[in-house]
Amino acid sequence: MKKSLSLLFGALCTFSAGAQGLKDVYQDAFLIGTIASNQQLMKPDADTSALFQREFNVLTAENDMKWQRIYPSPQGYNFAAADALMQQAEDCQCQVVGHTLIWHQQTPDWVFEDDAGNPVSREVLLGRMQSHINTLMTRYQDDVYGWDVVNEALNEDGTLRESRWREIIGDDYIAQAFRFATEANPNAELYYNDYNLNAPAKRDGAVRLVKSLLAQGVKVSGIGMQAHYMLRSPAISQIEESITAFASLGVKVMITELDISVLPFPKQAAIGAEISETAAFAEALNPYADGLPTDVQDALATRYRELFALFYKHRDDISRVTFWGTHDGTSWKNNWPVRGRTDYPLLIDRQGQPKPAYEAVATLPASIAQ
């Protein structure tokens, strides 16, 4: 009879002194990243810092380099948390990816409006875009090796999303952002980042977008495939088709924002990562408040192992895998799309200890090599 992964890995579910972290296990394949929340940056704790240092070699700010946080008003920037990220990365010997320069969410209204609240002109908004990109990229040019220049610019059918950036500047706002980023730091890697890129229509839209940019001579270094996945979807085959499609463009592929929710998804919310899509709390949507059953723990471990087997297979094309959270207690999935739930989407539990899913991922390369 097949033993459960929880039983197989049960004796291993604690970090052993001297054992390799994920960054070491995958050092010949791709970088392993995670995010730092504002709490972790402004009030760092020794346990989380130890996890950063042990497991990861890339850090990204969860929210603190988004326009709303770092440039909340015309009165000036607030660099405190971003500066703390650079210090944390130095202390943990991690590289840094900047997230994100241009996004339709978490951008203050004042960016798009004049003093009377009317929309600004194309020229004014382009000026604000260029100034913002230049300010961040020059301030952190020695610390940040890659940037999510434009985030989530596509609809689910692959067409360009309606946003205030597009409304005021026009369809070329994406190309302009990448051009400004190239001017600000010619040595930085520049990425397009989006969710649901496994879906064929959206995948095709991303291919058209990046092909068009490259044809115009615009620098695009890579595509970030946000991986906010479920236990049973999307299909591994769909993810693989997107990896190969993007790699065929000659750009790097990154698996970004990786987490796997074990909770039921409310029908009224669209599966993806559109933060405006939310649903009301219901007990039926929070089935594991008192702990994760063994069979679900096993399913999570199996799912992570299948995903990392795919990533490892395509390690020549994938340059980085970044988890959207360090341990279950820090995950945004506890509060989105339903606030107040208890989710278990990551490899490390709320007590900072490895789950069976961690062991499934950590032992994969060695098992393949045998």
Side-chain angles (χ1 to χ4, degrees), residues 100-113:
T100 173
L101 294 171
I102 302 298
W103 190 24
H104 68 282
Q105 297 278 11
Q106 292 181 251
T107 304
D109 289 341
W110 71 262
V111 175
F112 307 102
E113 298 173 355

Side-chain angles (χ1 to χ4, degrees), residues 5 9 26 236 260 299-312 347 356-368:
L5 290 174
F9 294 133
Y26 287 92
I236 294 294
I260 300 174
L300 181 66
T302 298
R303 178 68 162 161
Y304 262 116
R305 189 175 181 85
E306 290 172 346
L307 284 170
F308 268 80
L310 174 66
F311 302 157
Y312 196 72
L347 301 183
Y358 176 96
E359 300 298 342
V361 169
T363 57
L364 175 72
S367 69
I368 292 175

Side-chain angles (χ1 to χ4, degrees), residues 327-330 334 341-345 348-353:
H327 61 76
D328 286 342
T330 65
N334 294 301
R341 297 200 295 178
T342 304
D343 208 341
Y344 304 82
I348 300 172
D349 67 20
R350 284 168 168 76
Q351 288 70 49
Q353 293 301 314

Side-chain angles (χ1 to χ4, degrees), residues 232-308:
R232 295 173 180 83
S233 66
I236 294 294
S237 59
Q238 274 196 338
I239 301 169
E240 182 167 31
E241 287 166 4
S242 292
I243 292 171
T244 56
F246 298 148
S248 71
L249 298 175
V251 300
K252 295 181 178 181
V253 180
M254 288 142 289
I255 307 301
T256 65
E257 308 190 23
L258 174 59
D259 49 32
I260 300 174
S261 178
V262 302
L263 300 181
F265 209 88
K267 293 181 180 180
Q268 60 269 46
I271 293 178
E274 174 52 56
I275 64 173
S276 64
E277 296 278 354
T278 59
F281 181 89
E283 292 296 340
L285 297 174
N286 192 38
Y288 310 127
D290 298 325
L292 200 59
T294 298
D295 62 331
V296 183
Q297 193 84 266
D298 289 345
L300 181 66
T302 298
R303 178 68 162 161
Y304 262 116
R305 189 175 181 85
E306 290 172 346
L307 284 170
F308 268 80

Side-chain angles (χ1 to χ4, degrees), residues 33-352:
T34 190
I35 56 171
S37 68
N38 182 267
Q39 174 76 15
Q40 291 164 337
L41 292 174
M42 303 310 292
K43 296 181 180 179
D45 65 88
D47 290 341
T48 302
S49 295
L51 283 176
F52 287 163
Q53 186 164 11
R54 173 193 164 84
E55 299 296 327
F56 307 104
N57 45 25
V58 180
L59 287 182
T60 300
E62 181 176 23
N63 287 299
D64 287 296
M65 294 184 76
K66 294 171 182 174
W67 199 313
Q68 187 179 61
R69 292 284 187 91
I70 203 166
Y71 195 11
S73 75
Q75 280 64 55
Y77 284 85
N78 179 1
F79 293 116
D83 287 351
L85 173 69
M86 307 308 156
Q87 185 61 57
Q88 180 74 265
E90 181 178 345
D91 294 343
C92 299
Q93 297 181 312
C94 289
Q95 300 182 67
V96 177
V97 168
H99 177 79
T100 173
L101 294 171
I102 302 298
W103 190 24
H104 68 282
Q105 297 278 11
Q106 292 181 251
T107 304
D109 289 341
W110 71 262
V111 175
F112 307 102
E113 298 173 355
D114 62 21
D115 293 340
N118 299 310
V120 295
S121 67
R122 168 184 163 92
E123 290 70 25
V124 168
L125 188 55
L126 281 172
R128 290 177 179 177
M129 173 191 281
Q130 182 176 25
S131 177
H132 179 69
I133 290 173
N134 187 67
T135 297
L136 265 62
M137 292 188 68
T138 55
R139 182 181 181 88
Y140 298 116
Q141 64 180 338
D142 296 327
D143 303 297
V144 177
Y145 82 92
W147 291 85
D148 291 333
V149 178
V150 177
N151 195 50
E152 301 175 5
L154 295 174
N155 294 312
E156 295 307 293
D157 65 359
T159 59
L160 285 181
R161 178 194 293 271
E162 286 297 332
S163 69
R164 299 183 82 178
W165 293 108
R166 185 184 179 201
E167 177 185 344
I168 295 172
I169 295 175
D171 289 356
D172 66 329
Y173 83 92
I174 299 173
Q176 296 284 8
F178 276 92
R179 290 189 182 105
F180 293 150
T182 303
E183 293 169 2
N185 185 353
N187 297 319
E189 293 188 359
L190 308 179
Y191 316 131
Y192 176 72
N193 190 56
D194 212 332
Y195 61 84
N196 284 355
L197 291 182
N198 54 277
K202 198 165 188 180
R203 172 202 310 143
D204 292 346
V207 167
R208 289 194 301 270
L209 172 63
V210 174
K211 267 188 175 180
S212 173
L213 292 171
L214 295 173
Q216 297 173 60
V218 175
K219 177 182 176 180
V220 180
S221 309
I223 298 175
M225 294 177 57
Q226 291 184 29
H228 298 296
Y229 295 155
M230 310 290 285
L231 279 177
R232 295 173 180 83
S233 66
I236 294 294
S237 59
Q238 274 196 338
I239 301 169
E240 182 167 31
E241 287 166 4
S242 292
I243 292 171
T244 56
F246 298 148
S248 71
L249 298 175
V251 300
K252 295 181 178 181
V253 180
M254 288 142 289
I255 307 301
T256 65
E257 308 190 23
L258 174 59
D259 49 32
I260 300 174
S261 178
V262 302
L263 300 181
F265 209 88
K267 293 181 180 180
Q268 60 269 46
I271 293 178
E274 174 52 56
I275 64 173
S276 64
E277 296 278 354
T278 59
F281 181 89
E283 292 296 340
L285 297 174
N286 192 38
Y288 310 127
D290 298 325
L292 200 59
T294 298
D295 62 331
V296 183
Q297 193 84 266
D298 289 345
L300 181 66
T302 298
R303 178 68 162 161
Y304 262 116
R305 189 175 181 85
E306 290 172 346
L307 284 170
F308 268 80
L310 174 66
F311 302 157
Y312 196 72
K313 174 184 176 182
H314 291 279
R315 58 191 179 276
D316 290 342
D317 296 317
I318 294 174
S319 62
R320 171 172 51 92
V321 176
T322 288
F323 293 89
W324 209 242
T326 304
H327 61 76
D328 286 342
T330 65
S331 174
W332 76 306
K333 298 301 290 183
N334 294 301
N335 289 307
W336 188 90
V338 179
R339 180 167 292 278
R341 297 200 295 178
T342 304
D343 208 341
Y344 304 82
L346 300 167
L347 301 183
I348 300 172
D349 67 20
R350 284 168 168 76
Q351 288 70 49

